[in-house]
Amino acid sequence: MTIRQRTHDQTPQLNSLLLGSRDPERLRDWYATAFATESNRFGFVELGAAGVLPDPRDDVADQATEPGRVILNLGVRDIQAAVQRIEQAGTTWITPLEEREPGWFATFTDPDGTYVQVIQMKPETDAEMLAEARRDATPTRPFCGFAVDDTARAATFYRDMLGLDVTDGPMGLLTIWLGESDFVMAYPKETHVPAQHTILNIPVDDIDDAVASLVEQGVQMLRYDGFGQDEHGISRDNGGPPIAWFTDPAGNVLSVLQPQ
């Protein structure tokens, strides 16, 4: 049997934007500087899921003649810091930083005169938009599931101790969100037997802080022979990233790891 990945009814997915320019190298360097990022080996400036490619063209003007026709909207976590970087890179402000009902906005031009806007949504706006997107979400890609013996305890653990969003579903199902759209399902099983393999690996920025936080909340780190774990249960010299293992209330094995 062949498993085919289901997409949104074959709806095309936006994967990049081209910015036609007489001086694409200047434009690429400016975007990399203004947004503290870099271009990949294909010349795309990596700005989230959709890359931006300054593309050499001789059929465009030196400066955009209709700069508001297409506006790049870029979400940022710290708009004050973003505005400072943009000013250092050099720009002309169309609309200086201002607060509106959903969040904070600032509009400016890139070196070719095209309008760009940075946006930082307020937490309540982000939460409302995310809840709306998830409310009627249906799986469009393969996803994993695992059993637990007590969904209430599992929900508390994954939500309160690991800081993940958890939503209730029919028949006692739990949806554990790993991002805006990625998730795993936890389902109740009376004859549950804990998984002996690692069912979920959670990337963290600082594994020492992550392990310390878990231990402080009463989580006991697991130890395995041959992994050279330190006194905190962290394995660092295993040929991969630093990693530490523990279990959820149902006994399933999880890990936190720090990508290198």
Side-chain angles (χ1 to χ4, degrees):
M1 180 177 66
T2 300
I3 298 176
R4 296 183 60 189
Q5 181 169 323
R6 180 174 175 267
T7 60
H8 298 277
D9 299 323
Q10 305 303 315
T11 302
Q13 303 296 301
L14 179 66
N15 59 21
S16 64
L17 296 169
L18 298 184
L19 295 180
S21 176
R22 291 291 186 101
D23 194 344
E25 290 187 7
R26 177 191 64 164
L27 203 57
R28 183 168 56 248
D29 290 345
W30 184 87
Y31 273 92
T33 299
F35 296 104
T37 184
E38 57 186 21
S39 58
N40 63 25
R41 64 190 182 92
F42 301 107
F44 286 86
V45 180
E46 298 178 345
L47 297 171
V52 173
L53 178 64
D55 191 38
R57 299 187 65 93
D58 57 10
D59 59 349
V60 298
D62 290 334
Q63 291 289 300
T65 57
E66 294 181 308
R69 182 178 290 272
V70 177
I71 300 177
L72 273 64
N73 283 333
L74 302 175
V76 297
R77 294 182 180 274
D78 186 340
I79 200 164
Q80 295 285 355
V83 166
Q84 288 182 353
R85 283 196 307 270
I86 293 161
E87 287 184 337
Q88 291 170 0
T91 191
T92 298
W93 292 101
I94 305 302
T95 303
L97 179 61
E98 64 179 7
E99 180 178 358
R100 304 176 191 171
E101 182 178 352
W104 294 268
F105 297 74
T107 308
F108 50 97
T109 64
D110 70 14
D112 282 6
T114 301
Y115 286 0
V116 184
Q117 185 170 239
V118 287
I119 304 170
Q120 181 181 346
M121 291 298 186
K122 295 178 179 177
E124 57 270 26
T125 304
D126 269 339
E128 183 179 349
M129 293 173 65
L130 188 56
E132 180 67 25
R134 290 175 175 174
R135 188 169 295 121
D136 300 317
T138 56
T140 59
R141 296 181 293 182
F143 63 93
C144 295
F146 57 87
V148 296
D149 55 359
D150 187 324
T151 53
R153 282 202 309 162
T156 298
F157 178 83
Y158 283 93
R159 180 187 297 116
D160 298 342
M161 299 187 73
L162 299 187
L164 300 174
D165 290 336
V166 179
T167 54
D168 298 319
M171 298 183 295
L173 290 174
L174 298 178
T175 302
I176 303 170
W177 296 92
L178 309 177
E180 292 190 5
S181 58
D182 294 324
F183 62 88
V184 293
M185 301 289 291
Y187 56 91
K189 186 176 181 181
E190 292 183 1
T191 57
H192 167 69
V193 176
Q196 297 301 301
H197 60 281
T198 306
I199 65 167
L200 185 64
N201 297 291
I202 305 173
V204 295
D205 293 330
D206 189 319
I207 194 167
D208 294 282
D209 284 350
V211 168
S213 175
L214 289 169
V215 171
E216 185 178 349
Q217 297 178 84
V219 175
Q220 184 175 356
M221 309 312 292
L222 300 177
R223 294 186 176 276
Y224 297 104
D225 293 336
F227 280 88
Q229 291 164 275
D230 63 19
E231 66 272 22
H232 304 295
I234 302 172
S235 173
R236 301 180 190 274
D237 300 318
N238 53 48
I243 185 171
W245 296 271
F246 56 100
T247 63
D248 69 6
N252 297 311
V253 180
L254 314 174
S255 85
V256 286
L257 55 88
Q258 182 177 323
Q260 296 177 312

